[in-house]
């Protein structure tokens, strides 16, 4: 409540109408709460203003005066507008147009460095704006697709490139938004249907806003102003009150993941050792081995056939040192990943000791060779039907209405907004993709070129009413970890209970929004008002070509070059603080629980138990959802 409304509620009821009007004319800061001693005009008995006083200077209330329960009028509803009429009350409301103008003036007065950090909108002179022909705006739904690589997400943000930022500037460049409205998306009533995270893609998404669409070539003009990563499929006239966020029935997402992600942790890794230990403590060792029967010998056979020959020439001590470097390394903390610049110049590394049987450079080269060999072995893995069936059964447990407080950030089990509806969660049959490798040092260089030697993938599809921040990536992560670690069957239902768990979010690389669904709008509003239904099927050929080239192609290439999924699961397997022990035979009782208001745990170094990007993403998208 701002200072003006505070005065109305507490003071107007005790004053004559003329005094009330005078008191409300005092200048106040917009959007700020007034202090308890707000400065008010002081009036004399005749109602004339004598100067300024404080609220304490006002005459005391009588038992019968005032409004609301505190004044003794307990049987009546509290009057928010005091004793003023509607017309008089409306004159004292915030002037939003002036407020936006002040904010724009502040933005334009920023220095060069601050301008670089802020949103970059086209700036036109007053003469250009005045000379532009005025054209009518129409409420429309803009159907779009994009590859999220290199962007901080869908939503407009101050600290980097966003899909909406590029899209809005393209609207201006194409003449769909006038120069007078080019400096603020709020003037065009821009609303997104689904907010995708950093690096997440979309084959179909929608923004609704007011555009100038009388030009029949407006869509080609907009696309000409966009990078190849963003495409506009079409623009559809809608009803005047259309909101793509409010009227969306549900959303369909897809997540692509290589099948080698379902391989168990290496027996020498910390998680691999802990899983056996937890199974023994729970008396479930036989059951654990049964759940891992298809892959129980994968690592021993791979090591014997491929890794042991590479280590044959080393002494036992050096062999152990190399294997420890591969599987026993502890993941870096946030402070180690982002170290502060030293105050003094760094000390150069000492020269290698010629007497050392394995110099550091040779050790690094050997480690690189072993990792490349292991990567080729994982990418040659083919998922057996029984393990695929186990994954499908795990995903099916998400279907229905559940409390997903463990699958997002900043939500407790008691928060009603954590209840979400999942309509379906399915997976495709495995398929193989490979890319010709132009890099001779690529881990998969010898295997590239034919489908039979490529990486096997799965397509997971989840259809839900709406999703919270990181929810899909955490659902995928937990389901895959449950299968790869041989978790007991009751793990998924346990995550819907009040227990607070730390669930890592799977890489954003594999996630894409397939399309939002508007069945109710199409059946009721569009039909009633003779508007075109919102339907992506008419653009199917364009979408499929774009999806294969800009989305799927980027996913294959980035995984081929960087091994994103391998790095993610290696980090999880090396975690020593107990955050992910819920995947073992003892279930959630064995895991370190989340603490703190943010919903993120604290590890032994006091760092966030979740991803280091969480704080930044929360700051950019506080209160917003994934879709």
């Amino acid at each position: 409540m701002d200072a003006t409304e505070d005065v109305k509620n507490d003071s107007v009821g005790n004053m004559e109408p003329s005094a009330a009007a005078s008191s409300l004319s005092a200048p106040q800061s917009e959007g700020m709460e007034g202090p308890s001693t707000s400065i008010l005009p002081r009036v004399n008995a005749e109602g004339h203003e004598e100067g300024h006083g404080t609220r304490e200077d006002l005459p005391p209330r009588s038992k019968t005066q005032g409004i609301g329960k505190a004044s003794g009028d307990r049987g009546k509803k509290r009057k928010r507008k005091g004793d003023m009429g509607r017309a008089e009350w409306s004159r004292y409301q915030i002037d939003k147009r002036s407020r936006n103008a002040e904010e724009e003036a502040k933005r334009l007065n920023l220095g060069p460095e601050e301008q670089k950090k802020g949103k970059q909108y086209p700036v036109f002179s007053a003469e250009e704006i005045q000379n532009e022909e005025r054209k009518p705006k129409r409420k429309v739904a803009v159907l779009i697709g994009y590859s999220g690589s290199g962007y901080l997400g869908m939503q407009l943000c101050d600290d980097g490139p966003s899909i909406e930022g590029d899209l809005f500037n393209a609207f201006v460049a194409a003449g769909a938004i006038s120069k007078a409205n080019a400096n603020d998306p709020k003037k065009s009533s821009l609303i997104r249907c689904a907010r995708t995270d950093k690096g997440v893609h979309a084959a179909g998404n929608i923004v609704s806003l007011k555009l100038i669409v009388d030009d029949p070539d407006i869509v080609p003009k907009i696309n000409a102003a966009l990078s190849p990563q963003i495409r506009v499929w079409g623009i559809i006239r809608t009803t005047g009150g259309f909101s793509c966020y409010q009227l969306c029935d549900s959303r369909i997402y897809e997540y692509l993941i290589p099948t080698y992600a379902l391989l168990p942790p290496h027996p020498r890794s910390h998680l691999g050792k802990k899983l056996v230990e937890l199974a023994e403590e729970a008396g479930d060792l036989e059951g654990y081995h049964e759940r891992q029967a298809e892959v129980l010998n994968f690592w021993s056979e791979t090591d014997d056939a491929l890794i042991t020959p590479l280590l044959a020439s080393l002494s036992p001590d050096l062999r152990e040192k190399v294997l420890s470097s591969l599987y026993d390394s502890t993941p870096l903390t946030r402070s180690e990943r982002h170290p502060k610049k030293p105050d003094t110049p760094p000390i150069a590394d000492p020269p290698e000791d010629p007497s050392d049987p394995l110099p550091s450079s040779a050790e690094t080269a050997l480690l690189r060779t072993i990792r490349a060999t292991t990567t080729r072995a994982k990418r040659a893995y083919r998922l057996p039907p029984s393990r695929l069936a186990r994954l499908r059964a795990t995903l099916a447990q998400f279907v229905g209405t559940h409390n997903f407080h463990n699958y997002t950030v900043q939500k407790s089990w008691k928060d009603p907004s954590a209840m979400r509806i999942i309509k379906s969660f399915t997976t495709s049959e495995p398929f193989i993709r490979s890319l010709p490798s132009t890099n001779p040092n690529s881990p998969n260089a010898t295997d590239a070129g034919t489908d039979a030697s490529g990486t096997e993938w799965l397509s997971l599809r989840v259809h839900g009413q709406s999703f919270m921040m990181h929810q899909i990536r955490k659902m995928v992560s937990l389901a895959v970890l449950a299968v790869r670690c041989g978790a007991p069957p009751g793990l998924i239902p346990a995550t819907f209970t009040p227990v607070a768990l730390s669930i890592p979010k799977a890489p954003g690389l594999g996630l894409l929004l397939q399309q939002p669904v508007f069945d109710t709008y199409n059946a009721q509003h569009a039909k009633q008002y003779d508007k075109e239904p919102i339907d992506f099927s008419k653009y199917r050929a364009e979408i499929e070509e774009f999806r294969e080239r800009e989305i799927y192609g980027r996913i294959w290439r980035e995984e081929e070059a960087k091994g994103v999924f391998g790095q993610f699961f290696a980090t999880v397997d090396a975690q020593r603080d107990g955050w992910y022990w819920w995947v073992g035979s003892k279930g959630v009782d064995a895991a370190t629980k989340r603490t703190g208001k943010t919903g993120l745990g604290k590890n032994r170094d006091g760092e966030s138990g979740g991803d280091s990007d969480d704080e930044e993403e929360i700051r950019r998208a506080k209160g917003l959802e994934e879709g």
Side-chain angles (χ1 to χ4, degrees):
M1 174 162 47
D2 60 22
T4 303
E5 189 162 327
D6 198 31
V7 172
K8 289 183 289 186
N9 287 341
D10 293 339
S11 306
V12 174
N14 300 314
M15 301 171 63
E16 294 298 326
S18 60
S22 299
S23 69
L24 290 167
S25 64
Q28 301 290 345
S29 298
E30 294 179 355
M32 300 291 290
E33 288 191 357
S36 58
T37 58
S38 301
I39 296 177
L40 300 172
R42 184 182 297 163
V43 294
N44 56 23
E46 289 76 29
H48 299 295
E49 185 175 321
E50 292 185 335
H52 289 88
T54 63
R55 186 169 289 139
E56 284 78 358
D57 296 321
L58 294 174
R61 288 178 189 263
S62 68
K63 292 183 179 180
T64 58
Q65 279 183 319
I67 51 178
K69 294 183 179 179
S71 64
D73 204 7
R74 301 182 183 277
K76 297 181 181 180
K77 187 176 180 181
R78 182 180 178 90
K79 296 181 181 180
R80 293 186 62 189
K81 300 179 183 178
D83 293 336
M84 291 184 293
R86 178 177 298 180
E88 184 179 4
W89 178 80
S90 65
R91 289 199 293 271
Y92 300 102
Q93 298 308 294
I94 294 174
D95 186 349
K96 295 183 178 180
R97 187 178 296 274
S98 298
R99 182 187 61 187
N100 291 341
E102 290 175 2
E103 292 177 354
E104 178 62 16
K106 291 179 181 179
R107 187 185 71 80
L108 293 176
N109 289 331
L110 293 175
E113 294 301 320
E114 289 81 0
Q115 283 278 11
K116 290 179 182 178
K117 296 179 182 178
K119 303 182 183 77
Q120 297 297 304
Y121 302 129
V123 178
F124 299 98
S125 66
E127 184 179 357
E128 289 178 304
I129 294 174
Q130 186 176 3
N131 293 335
E132 183 182 30
E133 180 185 356
R134 300 295 297 272
K135 297 179 180 179
K137 297 184 294 185
R138 308 297 182 189
K139 194 62 171 289
V140 298
V142 183
L143 282 60
I144 61 174
Y146 51 85
S147 168
S149 298
Y151 288 92
L152 294 182
M154 172 69 176
Q155 177 190 345
L156 286 162
C157 58
D158 293 333
D159 49 358
S162 66
I163 302 297
E164 281 184 346
D166 283 10
L167 192 62
F168 183 80
N169 290 340
F171 290 154
V172 176
I177 291 179
S178 66
K179 295 177 181 178
N181 296 333
N183 57 3
D184 189 357
K186 294 179 183 178
K187 296 179 180 179
S188 299
S189 305
L190 177 64
I191 298 175
R192 72 194 68 85
C193 177
R195 187 200 71 84
T196 53
D197 291 339
K198 176 182 178 180
V200 176
H201 321 288
N205 201 351
I206 289 180
V207 294
S208 58
L209 73 168
K210 297 176 182 178
L211 290 182
I212 301 169
V213 291
D214 56 346
D215 186 350
D217 297 325
I218 191 64
V219 171
K221 288 181 179 179
I222 294 173
N223 282 329
L226 289 168
S227 75
Q229 282 186 240
I230 308 175
R231 293 291 90 181
V232 171
W233 307 128
I235 297 177
I236 298 175
R237 286 283 304 276
T238 64
T239 57
F242 177 80
S243 167
C244 61
Y245 178 77
Q246 297 292 340
L247 293 177
C248 180
D249 294 322
S250 58
R251 297 150 177 93
I252 302 173
Y253 280 85
E254 180 181 20
Y255 195 92
L256 296 174
I257 190 168
T259 58
Y260 74 73
L262 296 169
L263 285 170
H266 195 280
R268 289 189 63 102
S269 69
H270 177 74
L271 185 58
K273 296 174 184 177
K274 193 66 184 180
L275 289 174
V276 176
E277 180 183 328
L278 292 171
E280 291 175 344
E281 292 177 1
D284 185 44
L285 189 60
E286 183 178 351
Y288 170 73
H289 287 159
E290 288 179 359
R291 293 190 293 271
Q292 300 285 58
E294 312 95 339
V295 291
L296 197 59
N297 299 321
F298 175 85
W299 286 116
S300 60
E301 294 173 356
T302 299
D303 290 347
D304 291 343
L306 302 175
I307 307 303
T308 301
L310 297 175
L311 303 174
S313 60
L314 303 181
S315 66
D317 291 342
L318 290 175
R319 187 181 303 125
E320 184 64 26
K321 179 182 178 182
V322 171
L323 291 175
S324 297
S325 299
L326 283 170
Y327 303 116
D328 295 342
S329 58
T330 303
L332 298 176
T333 64
R334 186 179 182 186
S335 58
E336 291 171 332
R337 291 196 300 271
H338 308 286
K340 296 181 179 179
K341 295 182 179 179
D343 297 331
T344 58
I347 301 174
D349 294 333
E352 295 176 357
D353 184 0
S355 63
D356 189 345
L358 187 64
S360 59
S361 59
E363 179 183 339
T364 300
L366 179 58
L367 288 172
R368 192 172 297 158
T369 301
I370 293 175
R371 289 194 178 101
T373 303
T374 303
T375 298
R376 284 197 296 271
K378 290 192 296 184
R379 289 178 175 171
Y381 172 73
R382 298 297 179 254
L383 188 68
S386 57
R387 206 157 181 81
L388 176 60
R390 190 171 293 112
L391 176 63
R392 284 173 169 161
T394 302
L395 295 176
Q397 295 182 67
F398 287 112
V399 176
T401 303
H402 303 290
N403 191 315
F404 287 93
H405 72 104
N406 275 317
Y407 295 85
T408 185
V409 293
Q410 292 188 321
K411 287 192 187 295
S412 68
W413 183 75
K414 294 182 179 180
D415 191 333
S417 66
M419 298 294 293
R420 300 288 160 142
I421 301 173
I422 304 299
K423 298 188 174 186
S424 65
F425 206 161
T426 61
T427 181
S428 68
E429 290 295 321
F431 58 94
I432 298 173
R433 286 290 182 272
S434 65
L435 293 171
S437 178
T438 57
N439 180 7
N441 297 321
S442 170
N444 202 28
T446 58
D447 293 337
T450 62
D451 280 348
S453 61
T455 303
E456 187 178 64
W457 292 77
L458 288 174
S459 170
L460 313 182
R461 289 212 175 197
V462 56
H463 184 188
Q465 190 177 56
S466 63
F467 300 92
M468 298 174 288
M469 178 185 286
H470 306 328
Q471 181 182 343
I472 297 173
R473 292 163 65 183
K474 286 177 177 280
M475 291 165 65
V476 169
S477 174
L478 189 136
V480 171
L481 286 172
V483 175
R484 77 187 292 266
C485 297
L491 174 61
I492 304 297
T495 64
F496 304 141
T497 65
V499 63
L501 301 176
S502 292
I503 301 175
K505 64 176 186 282
L509 175 66
L511 180 61
L512 66 142
L513 171 64
Q514 283 291 358
Q515 70 174 70
V517 179
F518 288 86
D519 289 342
T520 301
Y521 171 82
N522 291 340
Q524 297 180 7
H525 299 79
K527 186 176 182 180
Q528 180 180 356
Y529 296 101
D530 195 25
K531 298 294 183 182
E532 182 181 355
I534 297 176
D535 185 11
F536 284 89
S537 62
K538 67 174 74 174
Y539 310 106
R540 183 178 290 113
E542 301 170 65
I543 292 176
E544 288 181 355
E545 188 275 333
F546 173 84
R547 182 167 49 205
E548 190 66 34
R549 171 173 48 86
E550 292 291 340
I551 300 178
Y552 291 162
R554 287 177 184 271
I555 295 175
W556 316 141
R557 289 193 296 271
E558 287 196 40
E559 169 58 22
E560 172 76 17
K562 301 176 182 178
V564 175
F565 291 94
Q567 292 180 18
F568 168 73
F569 288 107
T571 302
V572 172
D573 294 348
Q575 177 61 251
R576 296 172 179 269
D577 290 322
W579 301 112
Y580 311 135
W581 291 355
W582 39 258
V583 296
S585 297
K586 297 179 73 173
V588 297
D589 294 333
T592 302
K593 304 304 187 295
R594 282 191 290 119
T595 58
K597 293 182 179 180
T598 62
L600 300 173
K602 300 292 181 182
N603 63 24
R604 62 170 179 242
D605 296 307
E607 302 292 347
S608 168
D611 191 279
S612 63
D613 291 335
D614 276 342
E615 294 178 9
E616 179 185 351
E617 292 203 42
I618 292 169
R619 195 164 53 246
R620 286 201 307 264
K622 193 170 184 179
L624 295 174
E625 298 185 339
E626 206 173 67

